[in-house]
Amino acid sequence: MSPSSKPFLRALAGETLTPPPFWLMRQAGRYLPEYRATRAEAGSFLDLCYNPELATEVTLQPLRRYGFDAAILFSDILVIPDALRQQVAFKEGEGPVLTPIRSATDLDGLNISGLHDHLAPVYATVKKLSAAIPATTALIGFAGAPWTVATYMIEGSGSKDFSKAKTMMFGQPELFARLMALLIQATGDYLIRQIDNGAEAIQIFDTWAGALPEDQFERWVIAPTRVLVQRIRAERPGVPVIGFPRQAGVLYKRYITETGVSGVSIDSSVPLEWAAKELQPLCTLQGNLDPILLVAGGEALDAGIDRILKALGKGPFIFNLGHGITPPTPPENVARLAERVKAWKG
Ligand code: CP3
């Protein structure tokens, strides 16, 4: 089947489909018992990311249950710092822990030369997936946006206020710019290689975009994303890019027009009528069900789904959550969502 017959890719090319194609961020993960079993078999979380057989298996698990229109490569945004030789670990119940980058000496310890060798298992996963997914399912490759990855590299963990990352950004602008330049290069190289192994669309996750004031948003969210979009467009024309500048608020509009993305994933705080009027004429929208509605289930879930379909289903749209599925989500609620979206008649 040619790519243009895949509903997910048709929606990204600007078609309005009824029902809209759908997939869910973090559709592979701890809410699924079969994921937890494979994860235990793999050892650590990073071991799972670098095991092509098992990473392929966990990518396919949610497709078997729910028939999503897209598969997303199973990996993590923090494989980039890992491949640049920063120490990265995922601690049970704590999330990621990294040896933080705070000085020029720390930054000098990073090295891009072994990037592709280190990430070879991820490319192998993409290749296996592209042969294994159903003919109407699209394969999404992804990376973290430079700003969001930089926050973990500088903080050394998740953070509430990004004080260390922002202190470097404001106080040591040259050092911060060097780190960002390295990330823009590595992320572009990584995404191009995913495309060469079979990724048909790319999503760039800028989870912490909303933490930046307008001028920094322009410089460290919009500009690096524009470089990545332009590079993909020039080197691998025809591969659509979805941006996810989470919690960007009214800046979603400038993000779309100034980066040139084909689609934008909106978080749950974006008002639907505003999005339909101001954003949907500019590009395909993806989103934006509150992931906790998927935990709660029942009539609240149904009503949330319908509101989104009514508001955004009349234009180019891909149904998704406003952020990733959380571990307490009952799998039967995901089945309920899948049925309801697939039955939508406009
Ligand atoms: O969507 C998918 O199914 C593909 C897989 C995927 C994962 N992480 C798997 C994962 C994707 C696209 C990501 C992206 C990612 N990773 C982001 C951006 C999107 C977002 O959710 O905001 C970020 C910020 C990360 C960094 C990260 N990875 C954190 C902060 C954590 C710990 C928090 C947690 O949920 O445990 C992870 C771990 C992680 N990445 C898990 C999974 C399935 C859970 C790890 C486990 O199985 O123990």
Side-chain angles (χ1 to χ4, degrees):
M1 194 166 294
S2 79
S4 60
S5 56
K6 299 186 178 192
F8 172 86
L9 296 175
R10 286 169 56 196
L12 272 180
E15 265 188 73
T16 301
L17 301 178
T18 309
F22 78 116
W23 68 284
L24 303 177
M25 289 190 266
R26 288 273 185 99
Q27 62 194 24
R30 286 165 294 183
Y31 76 106
L32 290 177
E34 61 269 36
Y35 170 84
R36 296 195 299 270
T38 310
R39 164 88 163 69
E41 195 187 324
S44 76
F45 173 68
L46 278 177
D47 289 339
L48 176 56
C49 293
Y50 295 135
N51 183 321
E53 281 73 32
L54 298 184
T56 298
E57 166 58 22
V58 295
T59 306
L60 297 175
Q61 286 168 351
L63 299 186
R64 293 186 193 118
R65 279 186 184 243
Y66 308 116
F68 292 121
D69 293 291
I72 182 161
L73 160 70
F74 188 84
S75 180
D76 196 80
I77 65 167
L78 299 182
V79 298
I80 287 292
D82 193 48
L84 294 172
R85 321 259 177 101
Q86 186 172 9
Q87 295 284 347
V88 179
F90 285 82
K91 298 245 163 92
E92 215 56 64
E94 254 182 77
V97 181
L98 302 85
T99 310
I101 305 294
R102 302 276 167 79
S103 67
T105 315
D106 297 339
L107 186 53
D108 290 338
L110 301 179
N111 187 339
I112 197 175
S113 67
L115 187 86
H116 290 318
D117 284 343
H118 189 94
L119 296 169
V122 179
Y123 306 140
T125 305
V126 175
K127 193 159 212 164
K128 281 171 104 42
L129 281 168
S130 105
I133 57 174
T136 55
T137 308
L139 180 57
I140 306 172
F142 76 92
W147 157 246
T148 288
V149 175
T151 65
Y152 290 96
M153 294 177 78
I154 300 166
E155 300 284 337
S157 66
S159 166
K160 283 200 161 50
D161 58 7
F162 311 101
S163 64
K164 296 187 178 72
K166 289 165 90 169
T167 300
M168 187 193 291
M169 183 179 76
F170 291 127
Q172 295 172 277
E174 284 169 18
L175 180 64
F176 184 76
R178 261 184 67 207
L179 172 60
M180 290 295 282
L182 177 66
L183 284 171
I184 292 167
Q185 182 67 42
T187 306
D189 294 352
Y190 178 50
L191 291 174
I192 295 282
R193 214 37 102 85
Q194 290 184 36
I195 294 167
D196 289 345
N197 282 280
E200 298 170 291
I202 292 297
Q203 179 151 324
I204 298 176
F205 288 88
D206 219 342
T207 305
W208 305 120
L212 294 180
E214 184 176 14
D215 45 353
Q216 275 72 36
F217 183 92
E218 188 181 323
R219 179 139 186 232
W220 300 122
V221 171
I222 291 179
T225 304
R226 179 171 56 232
V227 171
L228 292 170
V229 170
Q230 286 182 348
R231 182 166 169 201
I232 291 168
R233 189 153 294 156
E235 296 180 21
R236 301 295 182 273
V239 176
V241 177
I242 302 173
F244 180 37
R246 188 169 155 268
Q247 286 177 356
V250 295
L251 289 171
Y252 265 104
K253 207 168 163 178
R254 284 190 56 198
Y255 179 92
I256 297 169
T257 54
E258 295 175 24
T259 63
V261 288
S262 304
V264 81
S265 206
I266 54 175
D267 66 76
S268 308
S269 71
V270 178
L272 294 172
E273 302 310 326
W274 181 81
K277 183 160 171 278
E278 301 291 331
L279 305 181
Q280 208 165 23
L282 305 174
C283 75
T284 299
L285 295 188
Q286 175 177 279
N288 73 341
L289 188 80
D290 190 322
I292 305 307
L293 272 175
L294 208 47
V295 178
E299 284 167 20
L301 172 61
D302 293 349
I305 294 168
D306 292 355
R307 246 166 53 78
I308 292 169
L309 287 168
K310 267 189 203 126
L312 301 178
K314 294 183 215 63
F317 179 55
I318 297 162
F319 192 96
N320 206 312
L321 303 178
H323 197 188
I325 297 187
T326 64
T329 301
E332 57 272 23
N333 288 350
V334 181
R336 182 174 180 135
L337 177 151
E339 259 172 56
R340 200 165 182 93
V341 174
K342 283 189 229 176
W344 177 253
K345 300 215 163 50

